[in-house]
PDB file of all heavy atoms in Angstrom:
ATOM      1  N   HIS A  91       0.902   7.260  13.346  1.00 97.00           N
ATOM      2  CA  HIS A  91       2.197   8.014  13.499  1.00 97.00           C
ATOM      3  C   HIS A  91       3.303   7.344  12.754  1.00 97.00           C
ATOM      4  O   HIS A  91       4.464   7.245  13.231  1.00 97.00           O
ATOM      5  CB  HIS A  91       2.575   8.122  15.017  1.00 97.00           C
ATOM      6  CG  HIS A  91       1.536   8.839  15.803  1.00 97.00           C
ATOM      7  ND1 HIS A  91       1.330  10.166  15.717  1.00 97.00           N
ATOM      8  CD2 HIS A  91       0.628   8.282  16.693  1.00 97.00           C
ATOM      9  CE1 HIS A  91       0.287  10.464  16.557  1.00 97.00           C
ATOM     10  NE2 HIS A  91      -0.165   9.339  17.115  1.00 97.00           N
ATOM     11  N   LEU A  92       3.012   6.887  11.556  1.00 97.00           N
ATOM     12  CA  LEU A  92       4.022   6.073  10.724  1.00 97.00           C
ATOM     13  C   LEU A  92       5.218   6.953  10.328  1.00 97.00           C
ATOM     14  O   LEU A  92       6.310   6.454  10.335  1.00 97.00           O
ATOM     15  CB  LEU A  92       3.335   5.580   9.473  1.00 97.00           C
ATOM     16  CG  LEU A  92       2.231   4.560   9.714  1.00 97.00           C
ATOM     17  CD1 LEU A  92       1.510   4.245   8.377  1.00 97.00           C
ATOM     18  CD2 LEU A  92       2.833   3.271  10.291  1.00 97.00           C
ATOM     19  N   THR A  93       5.014   8.230  10.123  1.00 96.00           N
ATOM     20  CA  THR A  93       6.193   9.086   9.735  1.00 96.00           C
ATOM     21  C   THR A  93       7.125   9.316  10.926  1.00 96.00           C
ATOM     22  O   THR A  93       8.257   9.682  10.662  1.00 96.00           O
ATOM     23  CB  THR A  93       5.700  10.446   9.151  1.00 96.00           C
ATOM     24  OG1 THR A  93       4.865  11.111  10.101  1.00 96.00           O
ATOM     25  CG2 THR A  93       4.940  10.190   7.853  1.00 96.00           C
ATOM     26  N   LYS A  94       6.701   9.134  12.131  1.00 96.00           N
ATOM     27  CA  LYS A  94       7.566   9.236  13.258  1.00 96.00           C
ATOM     28  C   LYS A  94       8.390   7.880  13.441  1.00 96.00           C
ATOM     29  O   LYS A  94       9.540   7.901  13.815  1.00 96.00           O
ATOM     30  CB  LYS A  94       6.818   9.555  14.547  1.00 96.00           C
ATOM     31  CG  LYS A  94       6.288  10.995  14.540  1.00 96.00           C
ATOM     32  CD  LYS A  94       5.544  11.354  15.793  1.00 96.00           C
ATOM     33  CE  LYS A  94       5.044  12.768  15.717  1.00 96.00           C
ATOM     34  NZ  LYS A  94       4.234  13.140  16.834  1.00 96.00           N
ATOM     35  N   LYS A  95       7.675   6.805  13.223  1.00 96.00           N
ATOM     36  CA  LYS A  95       8.268   5.472  13.464  1.00 96.00           C
ATOM     37  C   LYS A  95       9.191   5.047  12.268  1.00 96.00           C
ATOM     38  O   LYS A  95      10.132   4.369  12.418  1.00 96.00           O
ATOM     39  CB  LYS A  95       7.214   4.402  13.542  1.00 96.00           C
ATOM     40  CG  LYS A  95       6.337   4.618  14.788  1.00 96.00           C
ATOM     41  CD  LYS A  95       5.215   3.586  14.778  1.00 96.00           C
ATOM     42  CE  LYS A  95       4.179   3.840  15.794  1.00 96.00           C
ATOM     43  NZ  LYS A  95       3.028   2.970  15.754  1.00 96.00           N
ATOM     44  N   TYR A  96       8.855   5.594  11.006  1.00 97.00           N
ATOM     45  CA  TYR A  96       9.550   5.250   9.838  1.00 97.00           C
ATOM     46  C   TYR A  96       9.920   6.570   9.107  1.00 97.00           C
ATOM     47  O   TYR A  96       9.137   7.147   8.411  1.00 97.00           O
ATOM     48  CB  TYR A  96       8.679   4.415   8.892  1.00 97.00           C
ATOM     49  CG  TYR A  96       8.197   3.176   9.624  1.00 97.00           C
ATOM     50  CD1 TYR A  96       6.925   3.163  10.225  1.00 97.00           C
ATOM     51  CD2 TYR A  96       8.964   2.017   9.585  1.00 97.00           C
ATOM     52  CE1 TYR A  96       6.474   1.961  10.813  1.00 97.00           C
ATOM     53  CE2 TYR A  96       8.459   0.854  10.196  1.00 97.00           C
ATOM     54  CZ  TYR A  96       7.286   0.865  10.841  1.00 97.00           C
ATOM     55  OH  TYR A  96       6.848  -0.316  11.476  1.00 97.00           O
ATOM     56  N   PRO A  97      11.162   7.083   9.444  1.00 95.00           N
ATOM     57  CA  PRO A  97      11.506   8.435   8.987  1.00 95.00           C
ATOM     58  C   PRO A  97      11.406   8.613   7.434  1.00 95.00           C
ATOM     59  O   PRO A  97      11.148   9.711   6.986  1.00 95.00           O
ATOM     60  CB  PRO A  97      13.002   8.549   9.349  1.00 95.00           C
ATOM     61  CG  PRO A  97      13.163   7.596  10.472  1.00 95.00           C
ATOM     62  CD  PRO A  97      12.211   6.482  10.236  1.00 95.00           C
ATOM     63  N   ALA A  99       9.029   7.283   5.511  1.00 97.00           N
ATOM     64  CA  ALA A  99       7.589   7.252   5.129  1.00 97.00           C
ATOM     65  C   ALA A  99       7.089   8.665   4.968  1.00 97.00           C
ATOM     66  O   ALA A  99       7.501   9.525   5.741  1.00 97.00           O
ATOM     67  CB  ALA A  99       6.784   6.410   6.108  1.00 97.00           C
ATOM     68  N   LYS A 100       6.116   8.865   4.060  1.00 97.00           N
ATOM     69  CA  LYS A 100       5.573  10.148   3.921  1.00 97.00           C
ATOM     70  C   LYS A 100       4.082  10.006   3.676  1.00 97.00           C
ATOM     71  O   LYS A 100       3.576   9.088   3.046  1.00 97.00           O
ATOM     72  CB  LYS A 100       6.098  10.813   2.619  1.00 97.00           C
ATOM     73  CG  LYS A 100       7.554  11.086   2.624  1.00 97.00           C
ATOM     74  CD  LYS A 100       8.051  11.681   1.269  1.00 97.00           C
ATOM     75  CE  LYS A 100       9.466  11.600   1.100  1.00 97.00           C
ATOM     76  NZ  LYS A 100       9.921  11.903  -0.245  1.00 97.00           N
ATOM     77  N   LEU A 101       3.344  10.971   4.268  1.00 97.00           N
ATOM     78  CA  LEU A 101       1.839  11.021   4.056  1.00 97.00           C
ATOM     79  C   LEU A 101       1.539  12.315   3.293  1.00 97.00           C
ATOM     80  O   LEU A 101       2.050  13.378   3.569  1.00 97.00           O
ATOM     81  CB  LEU A 101       1.211  11.055   5.383  1.00 97.00           C
ATOM     82  CG  LEU A 101       0.963   9.795   6.161  1.00 97.00           C
ATOM     83  CD1 LEU A 101       0.439  10.011   7.560  1.00 97.00           C
ATOM     84  CD2 LEU A 101       0.032   8.867   5.494  1.00 97.00           C
TER      85      LEU A 101
END
Side-chain angles (χ1 to χ4, degrees):
H91 303 287
L92 295 171
T93 57
K94 290 181 183 176
K95 297 175 191 174
Y96 304 92
K100 298 176 196 167
L101 279 171

